[in-house]
Amino acid sequence: MAKAGKQNRQDVVEKATNLYWEKGFHGTSMRNLQDVIDMRPGSIYAAFGSKEGLFKEALQYYTQQGFAQLTALKSTTGSPLKGLKAFVEMAVIDSQDSAPSGMCMLAKTISELTEENAELLAEAKSLLHKIELSFAATFIEAQAFGEVDKEKDAKQLARSLQIQIMGLRTYTRVNNDNKAIKEMIDTLFLAFSDVKK
Amino acid sequence: MAKAGKQNRQDVVEKATNLYWEKGFHGTSMRNLQDVIDMRPGSIYAAFGSKEGLFKEALQYYTQQGFAQLTALKSTTGSPLKGLKAFVEMAVIDSQDSAPSGMCMLAKTISELTEENAELLAEAKSLLHKIELSFAATFIEAQAFGEVDKEKDAKQLARSLQIQIMGLRTYTRVNNDNKAIKEMIDTLFLAFSDVKK
DNA sequence: TAATATCTTGAACGATCGTTCAAATCCAGT
DNA sequence: ACTGGATTTGAACGATCGTTCAAGATATTA
């Protein structure tokens, strides 16, 4: 492939991402992938090297899409903090029904894999760290915007948000009580925007 | 087996639990299990029926051990809330190094499995719910003990704790910063014990 | 000790795993 | 239209998957 067959590389990676996201690394077979992305083994191996190689690219694509969404939401809401909140609501609530899995794909990967797939594990950790950095950057923007108390440590807020998202997404898979979850997110962001008067 | 060979049923289930906990359902093969529990296929199938049957028993054993630990910690600390906090510290911090996986085995299962293993998924959800109920019961004890504000809703506290634990355990696998995590747990329990003066 | 009931063994099953590669196909430049 | 390189195909590989079951070993009863 490379130079565009019926579909370009991004379409293929997106389909693979959705399957891996739903079923996990070990739960997805190369034959599952062949069916979904409509490519024969030889082409897949020529383009991605291995099951691990394609998974790694899927992790990267997933993360990149997340960045794009956060950026878009900050723009459409016209505010860093509102954008961030919309992003969390989307990830925690909306994705339970519409996404391949209610889980964050990176958290799911970190939960699933062991040192037997050290490189993929490291990649997932690294990407999650980058997301945390972008949360921190968003909090700093929000502070400049006057939405968040400037006394607060953006890094600490980002870490805390990361933990909340992971917890909420897992919990929502167990007990999908939309109303209660929505309230918890509201409370969480009220705490973030607790500007000293 | 059943009537005790070289090892009794509980020893076998414990070994299986630790392997499943580390590698997950799909990441564990029956041959991995055969090696670890030192039983031949025929005996395993006679005793547990299938890979799924043994996994289900592992989930139950894991949960039962958790209940036992919480009960023990409440007893040794002489306080419901202190026992609960010790339990969380153990689960979030200590288990990162000593346990088969830093993750909660139930959360890991819920993250990994799909409707292809509906029965196991339902079992994991049900067991997590039972744990939440026991958290709620502990908060009620703590209220009677004067450790927690009686105005607060024990069910809501339990839900919130469940979410925090899931988030913290996943996060700690990514970024094992013991000091910061310890502080977050302290802060969390300070909020729980925020009795009106 | 012989007969019987119970449990354990491990070879073997068909299915599926991740991966390879020679052959077929496609496409660009002449 | 022809050629040569790039791409795609799909049969096939050895390994491993979850599972079965006849045969052997062990424990129990008479």
Side-chain angles (χ1 to χ4, degrees), chain B residues 99-148:
Chain B
S101 162
M103 297 295 294
C104 165
M105 185 182 175
L106 299 174
K108 178 167 176 160
T109 298
I110 281 161
S111 168
E112 178 187 4
L113 297 186
T114 68
E115 288 302 325
E116 285 178 29
N117 300 99
E119 193 184 332
L120 294 178
L121 194 51
E123 182 70 19
K125 287 181 184 180
S126 161
L127 291 169
L128 259 182
H129 185 66
K130 285 181 184 166
I131 291 176
E132 190 172 325
L133 290 180
S134 101
F135 286 166
T138 303
F139 277 118
I140 289 174
E141 292 171 41
Q143 285 173 324
F145 234 72
E147 298 179 308
V148 171

Side-chain angles (χ1 to χ4, degrees), chain A residues 1 6 31 40-43:
Chain A
M1 79 176 256
K6 310 158 222 175
R31 277 169 179 86
R40 264 36 66 197
S43 301

Side-chain angles (χ1 to χ4, degrees), chain A residues 34-49:
Chain A
Q34 288 165 37
D35 295 344
V36 164
I37 70 184
D38 191 29
M39 284 173 71
R40 264 36 66 197
S43 301
I44 300 179
Y45 279 82
F48 303 102

